Amino acid sequence: MSQSKEIKKIPIEEVIEYFRSEGMELTKEEAEQIMEFLYNLTLMVIKKYFDTDQK
């Protein structure tokens, strides 16, 4: 039995501020694209390694 967990989404403003603190300026669109990629990557990893229905 798999439990569905929702991944908490980080506010875009927080993402922009994090990258700014690391010396990188991002537009809102760039930050959204990065977060969408990371969200999808996270879902793939969780499904591959933690989805008990696949085993």
Side-chain angles (χ1 to χ4, degrees):
M1 174 187 265
S2 70
Q3 291 180 322
S4 179
K5 295 274 185 175
E6 189 167 323
I7 298 172
K8 177 185 163 197
K9 295 206 176 184
I10 300 169
I12 293 301
E13 295 78 21
E14 196 173 315
V15 174
I16 293 170
E17 184 55 40
Y18 172 77
F19 277 92
R20 185 176 294 129
S21 73
E22 294 294 319
M24 207 172 163
E25 292 293 325
L26 295 179
T27 65
K28 184 177 179 184
E29 292 77 22
E30 290 169 330
E32 288 170 346
Q33 288 178 336
I34 289 169
M35 292 311 295
E36 184 67 25
F37 170 76
L38 291 175
Y39 180 78
N40 287 329
L41 183 61
T42 301
L43 289 178
M44 288 188 283
V45 169
I46 289 171
K47 185 172 183 169
K48 178 158 179 75
Y49 294 103
F50 299 103
D51 189 358
T52 56
D53 292 341
Q54 296 288 326
K55 296 181 181 179

